[in-house]
Amino acid sequence: MRATILLTLSLLAMGSIGCLDEPSGLTQSQVDSVLDVQASVVDERQTLLRQTDDLNARRDELEADRRRWDERERSDPIIAQAIGGSVALLACCLPLILIGVLLWPKPREPAEGAICDALIDDLSNDSPQLLVDPKRTRRLE
């Protein structure tokens, strides 16, 4: 019983001590300004959380973009090497093609042109040798 009384007295003592409302020494305007500061801190915290969410979303977009580039880099080198090899092969073959074009046999002039050139040269000489002298030839009768 004695323990119950002590327990009851201790509960009453703690209850009365905790319920005392001591003045804080702040005026009503100071209390309002503290509450306004607390409200602005809460607003700023919410703004900061929204910005953090935006940054996280952008980071996720960048990560997805990086993965796409990484995938593209895995497939593009094969195509790039094929194109580079083709260009190198073409660059190496160009001198051979040029030499082939220069050494390719050219079509010969027709025989008529050569005959005409020989006749013109012969006629332009003082004593033509290709023309037959009518005095020296015998007539077939």
Side-chain angles (χ1 to χ4, degrees):
M1 169 104 169
R2 201 170 184 191
T4 310
I5 294 175
L6 283 174
L7 182 64
T8 308
L9 285 175
S10 63
L11 285 175
L12 286 173
M14 286 196 312
S16 64
I17 292 172
C19 292
L20 294 177
D21 189 18
E22 294 182 14
S24 62
L26 298 174
T27 63
Q28 186 61 34
S29 63
Q30 289 173 337
V31 170
D32 290 340
S33 66
V34 167
L35 292 175
D36 289 340
V37 167
Q38 285 178 345
S40 67
V41 166
V42 168
D43 290 341
E44 290 297 323
R45 184 167 187 237
Q46 289 174 349
T47 304
L48 184 62
L49 287 174
R50 273 188 259 121
Q51 289 174 349
T52 304
D53 291 341
D54 289 344
L55 287 175
N56 287 337
R58 289 181 184 171
R59 185 197 62 210
D60 293 341
E61 289 175 12
L62 284 174
E63 180 64 23
D65 192 37
R66 185 197 62 81
R67 287 181 182 162
R68 281 193 303 265
W69 277 98
D70 189 38
E71 185 65 34
R72 193 176 305 154
E73 285 178 3
R74 288 184 189 153
S75 64
D76 284 350
I78 296 169
I79 297 168
Q81 287 177 355
I83 292 171
S86 302
V87 169
L89 181 65
L90 182 65
C92 291
C93 289
L94 280 177
L96 295 174
I97 292 171
L98 182 63
I99 290 171
V101 167
L102 292 175
L103 293 178
W104 193 265
K106 295 181 178 155
R108 295 194 174 138
E109 294 180 11
E112 294 175 4
I115 293 172
C116 288
D117 287 341
L119 282 175
I120 290 172
D121 288 341
D122 187 52
L123 288 175
S124 63
N125 284 340
D126 290 336
S127 58
Q129 295 178 0
L130 293 177
L131 289 178
V132 178
D133 190 15
K135 294 177 189 176
R136 280 200 261 158
T137 59
R138 287 188 314 176
R139 246 184 182 182
L140 294 173
E141 293 179 11

